[in-house]
Amino acid sequence: ILSLVAEFCCGFFVILILGNFWFLAVLYLLWLYLDWETPCAGGRRSQWVRSWTVWKYFREYFPIRLIKTSELNPNHNYLLGFHPHGVLVAGAFGNFCTDPPFKNLFPGLTPYLHIMPIWFGCPFFREYIMSAGMVSASKESVSYVLNNEGGGHASVIVIGGAEESLNAHPGSLTLNILKRKGFIKMALKHGAHLVPVFSFGENELFKQVANPKGSWLRNVQEKLQKIMGFALPLFHARGVFQYSFGLIPYRQPIHTVVGSPIPVKQNLNPTTEEIDELHALYLQKLKNLFEEHKSNYGIPEHKSLIFE
């Protein structure tokens, strides 16, 4: 979805260059140069964009619901680990980039959804995603958000990243997390409390072409992901007037459950052992969150998370 909108924006920019409005393209390039660091400095959110009526219909289509299990004190900064990535990351967008779900449940906290820096190089598209509250997933960007002295900031990071989207099959509970410890180090350096978030139903929105590990398709997808920085899952769902084939996601409910915070004491130079210890605690809290709520959202009792 993001790539389609980005392609449209890039196409519009090309039209400006080739048409009689090339001077507008030149002015925008100048603006792009001057504004290049903004996605790493908190972005430029717009309450007007985040409150568009269309987002209400977007959330109700599935529907998307945000579930609160614990209070988050706005005097602290938080790092929310979002799982799983899925194909669309609909739960992350619907709950953290549109109002009022998060604002109503967690007053005093401002969420920032961190996405791949490559998206902020797309003309015009970058302005839209920043207005929705998205910022770069670079270390500098996360540090900027978590450095807020008065607290009240929440970095939302999709921990599994693009690689995890290749596992986004209906019923899949596999998370790419065992080797992902950078977010733990960032939480320690800034003393940001860690909060596990699990989005039930995220993997049910699309059917993906079979791509088991070791298959030729998976090998090609993984190589492309390393080259381009983002994955290319081959997926389909429903159409506008029929349910057999198309690119519109299925109407499957998404329940994004926000867990209890893990208190983190600031440590500017954490050791490998300290990072591993907090990482192990985070995995246990994430697993507990899933086990506690899975029966509410149609997950069979015998199924559990798989960490890779």
Side-chain angles (χ1 to χ4, degrees):
I1 302 300
L2 279 178
S3 61
L4 290 175
V5 179
E7 288 174 9
F8 173 81
C9 291
C10 289
F12 178 70
F13 184 71
V14 171
I15 291 174
L16 287 181
I17 294 176
L18 299 179
N20 296 324
F21 302 97
W22 58 268
F23 61 95
L24 293 178
V26 172
L27 288 175
Y28 184 80
L29 286 175
L30 177 61
W31 162 256
L32 194 62
Y33 174 77
L34 297 174
D35 194 57
W36 189 254
E37 297 299 325
T38 301
C40 294
R44 187 170 45 249
R45 68 178 55 223
S46 165
Q47 191 60 44
W48 175 66
V49 172
R50 290 173 58 90
S51 301
W52 281 351
T53 303
V54 67
W55 303 138
K56 175 184 176 183
Y57 294 113
F58 173 80
R59 294 191 302 266
E60 290 301 324
Y61 171 80
F62 297 96
I64 296 173
R65 296 289 183 265
L66 187 64
I67 313 300
K68 176 181 179 179
T69 65
S70 177
E71 294 291 339
L72 297 183
N73 189 333
N75 294 324
H76 298 295
N77 293 317
Y78 298 88
L79 195 158
L80 279 62
F82 184 92
H83 313 270
H85 184 287
V87 171
L88 189 61
V89 205
F93 178 81
N95 288 309
F96 304 115
C97 294
T98 72
D99 286 330
F102 190 85
K103 183 171 66 174
N104 283 353
L105 289 181
F106 301 99
L109 282 180
T110 302
Y112 295 82
L113 179 61
H114 295 270
I115 64 175
M116 291 184 297
I118 189 175
W119 295 115
F120 296 97
C122 180
F124 301 116
F125 181 67
R126 69 188 297 274
E127 317 305 333
Y128 158 66
I129 56 180
M130 278 197 291
S131 68
M134 292 182 237
V135 291
S136 172
S138 66
K139 292 180 181 179
E140 296 78 10
S141 177
V142 177
S143 291
Y144 185 93
V145 173
L146 297 181
N147 263 337
N148 193 42
E149 291 186 4
H153 281 188
S155 279
V156 183
I157 302 178
V158 184
I159 304 300
E163 182 183 357
E164 193 173 84
S165 67
L166 300 178
N167 290 327
H169 296 272
S172 174
L173 296 173
T174 300
L175 304 180
N176 291 61
I177 192 173
L178 291 181
K179 296 180 180 180
R180 296 178 180 264
K181 301 179 182 180
F183 73 103
I184 298 292
K185 189 174 182 179
M186 294 299 291
L188 282 166
K189 281 190 170 184
H190 297 283
H193 296 350
L194 281 167
V195 182
V197 178
F198 195 87
S199 196
F200 291 90
E202 199 74 45
N203 284 338
E204 317 304 315
L205 306 185
F206 297 93
K207 293 179 180 178
Q208 191 172 167
V209 175
N211 60 342
K213 288 194 173 183
S215 65
W216 70 268
L217 176 57
R218 186 60 168 258
N219 290 336
V220 170
Q221 288 175 319
E222 290 176 347
K223 288 180 181 178
L224 289 175
Q225 190 263 325
K226 291 179 181 179
I227 294 173
M228 299 185 298
F230 56 90
L232 292 173
L234 298 179
F235 60 89
H236 67 88
R238 53 162 292 185
V240 178
F241 302 111
Q242 44 79 27
Y243 291 83
S244 57
F245 189 82
L247 295 179
I248 298 176
Y250 292 115
R251 297 192 69 177
Q252 296 290 336
I254 298 172
H255 294 90
T256 303
V257 183
V258 180
S260 301
I262 303 170
V264 177
K265 185 177 181 180
Q266 187 174 26
N267 183 347
L268 296 178
N269 296 292
T271 64
T272 301
E273 291 73 20
E274 290 170 330
I275 293 173
D276 289 343
E277 182 180 354
L278 184 55
H279 186 260
L281 176 60
Y282 179 86
L283 293 182
Q284 187 58 55
K285 293 292 186 180
L286 174 60
K287 183 178 180 180
N288 292 346
L289 178 69
F290 174 81
E291 292 295 330
E292 182 179 351
H293 294 275
K294 67 180 184 181
S295 61
N296 296 332
Y297 306 115
I299 307 295
E301 186 62 31
H302 68 279
K303 286 203 169 188
S304 298
L305 294 178
I306 299 173
F307 296 144
E308 288 187 346

